[in-house]
Amino acid sequence: GALGAPLRQNGPRRDHLRASFEDDALVAFDRQDSSMLSVLAASDALVVRMPHAAAAPAGAECDYIML
């Protein structure tokens, strides 16, 4: 899938960012805290970010898991 908004460089851990589809592109939610169940409930997918992944611009292809 394509990103609808840029993502910053990832840290040393694999991340799964809660995201929603907006105009056929994935947009990660600003708040990713694990206690934010409302964000998880509103998510369409998890964007998978590998450890130390470079910053990704809007429009870049990304791996994701559909929810």
Side-chain angles (χ1 to χ4, degrees):
L3 293 174
L7 294 176
R8 63 178 183 232
Q9 181 177 354
N10 199 30
R13 296 171 51 177
R14 181 175 177 162
D15 281 336
H16 295 82
L17 304 176
R18 294 168 200 88
S20 65
F21 280 101
E22 297 179 15
D23 298 322
D24 296 323
L26 283 163
V27 177
F29 288 95
D30 292 331
R31 304 275 319 256
Q32 291 291 325
D33 188 287
S34 62
S35 67
M36 300 291 297
L37 294 180
S38 61
V39 174
L40 179 60
S43 298
D44 299 313
L46 299 173
V47 174
V48 180
R49 300 279 288 159
M50 298 308 289
H52 305 289
E61 290 295 313
C62 67
D63 291 329
Y64 67 95
I65 301 168
M66 287 294 298
L67 297 178

